[in-house]
């Protein structure tokens, strides 16, 4: 009786071993079958859509554009990210989702011509732009401290937060003259002559000068022959 029971358990143990071995074999076969139908996902980041399609077709995968967004670092129509990630495994004929760059965000540049620097700077900041190089030049037509020209020009599209360079009027260029000889002339005549060329009468001092008519110029500064600019003041010593 004991021998029969032992034989039964031996047969049962052998059957369990065979069933377990068969199950493991099936599991291994299924795993190999599944792995055999999977492929490694290539790295598509930075690629164009055409390049990505060629890479995916080579491993029997498909491309799906899942969205687009502005990106300062990735050129337009290049892939920013992908799902699944590179080198992960995916069954054949499945899709790889990608996000495509629309390039850097574009901003319209306002027209700054005729505006002051302060107003222009505020207008630029409101659009996310910055004031760049400020140069100046004399102008007979533009008011002083007003913008004459800009680079880039107005309404051109630029990448986000660029610098806008401007050319500002320094006003009308002052004329230059050679200081005439004023000594010995009457102060009233001198004053009219100076006003005619935009030169102003400066400080006057009076000295006694026997024999000379009152108001005769005795000394002048700047002296005769010196170059002077429009708007300069001329100081004189006059007889009393």
């Amino acid at each position: 009786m004991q021998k029969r029971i032992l034989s039964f358990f031996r047969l049962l143990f052998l059957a369990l071993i065979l069933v377990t071995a068969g199950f493991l074999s099936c599991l291994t076969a299924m795993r190999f079958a599944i792995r055999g139908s999977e492929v490694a996902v290539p790295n598509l980041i930075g690629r164009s859509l055409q390049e990505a399609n060629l890479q995916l077709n080579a491993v029997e995968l498909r491309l799906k554009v899942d969205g687009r967004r502005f990106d300062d670092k990735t050129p337009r129509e290049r892939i920013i990210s992908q799902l699944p990630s590179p080198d992960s495994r995916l069954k054949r004929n499945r899709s790889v989702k990608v996000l495509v760059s629309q390039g850097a965000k574009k901003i319209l540049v306002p027209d700054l011509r005729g505006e002051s620097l302060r107003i222009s700077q505020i207008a630029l900041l409101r659009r996310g732009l910055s004031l760049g190089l400020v140069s100046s030049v004399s102008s007979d037509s533009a008011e002083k401290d007003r913008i004459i020209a800009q680079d880039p020009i107005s309404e051109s599209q630029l990448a986000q937060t660029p610098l806008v360079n401007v050319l500002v009027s320094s006003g009308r260029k002052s004329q230059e003259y050679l200081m005439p000889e004023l000594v010995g002339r009457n102060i009233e005549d001198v004053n009219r002559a100076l006003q005619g060329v935009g030169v102003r009468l400066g400080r006057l001092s009076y000295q006694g000068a026997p024999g000379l008519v009152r108001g005769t110029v005795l000394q002048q500064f700047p002296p005769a022959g010196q170059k002077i600019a429009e708007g300069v003041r001329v100081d004189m010593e006059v007889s009393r």
Side-chain angles (χ1 to χ4, degrees), residues 5-193:
I5 293 173
L6 288 173
S7 296
F8 173 75
F9 278 111
R10 285 175 184 171
L11 290 172
L12 182 62
F13 180 70
L14 290 173
L16 287 172
I17 291 175
L18 291 174
V19 170
T20 302
F23 176 75
L24 291 175
S25 297
C26 289
L27 187 63
T28 302
M30 289 176 62
R31 182 173 295 176
F32 275 112
I34 293 172
R35 293 284 289 182
S37 65
E38 290 181 344
V39 292
V41 178
N43 187 356
L44 306 177
I45 297 174
R47 304 288 187 184
S48 67
L49 292 178
Q50 184 178 6
E51 292 169 339
N53 261 318
L54 291 175
Q55 282 186 276
L56 293 178
N57 287 338
V59 292
E60 299 181 45
L61 295 176
R62 288 177 286 185
L63 180 69
K64 182 178 179 181
V65 177
D66 199 39
R68 298 173 183 270
R69 77 175 187 202
F70 291 110
D71 191 283
D72 294 340
K73 297 180 180 178
T74 308
R76 182 178 175 83
E77 294 301 316
R78 296 279 174 169
I79 293 173
I80 302 171
S81 62
Q82 67 179 84
L83 188 68
S85 59
D87 298 325
S88 59
R89 300 194 69 82
L90 188 65
K91 289 184 179 181
R92 288 185 173 90
N93 296 317
R94 295 291 178 89
S95 295
V96 178
K97 297 179 180 180
V98 296
L99 186 63
V100 181
S101 171
Q102 290 181 291
K105 189 175 181 180
K106 305 297 183 179
I107 302 175
L108 291 178
V109 180
D111 189 355
L112 306 177
R113 291 171 299 176
E115 300 290 350
S116 67
L117 275 178
R118 178 176 173 78
I119 292 177
S120 298
Q121 193 166 22
I122 294 172
L124 291 174
L125 289 174
R126 284 176 177 172
R127 297 200 186 190
L129 307 175
S130 301
L131 188 64
L133 180 65
V134 178
S135 304
S136 61
V137 65
S138 59
S139 172
D140 292 334
S141 58
E143 186 181 342
K144 186 178 181 180
D145 295 329
R146 298 288 175 171
I147 293 176
I148 301 172
Q150 65 185 81
D151 179 37
I153 60 174
S154 62
E155 304 305 320
S156 60
Q157 291 188 340
L158 295 178
Q160 195 171 12
T161 64
L163 296 178
V164 179
N165 303 316
V166 296
L167 182 64
V168 182
S169 170
S170 58
R172 188 170 62 88
K173 186 177 180 181
S174 60
Q175 299 292 325
E176 291 186 338
Y177 308 95
L178 286 178
M179 188 66 189
E181 178 64 71
L182 303 177
V183 175
R185 298 178 61 180
N186 183 270
I187 186 62
E188 294 182 2
D189 296 336
V190 168
N191 189 28
R192 284 192 294 269

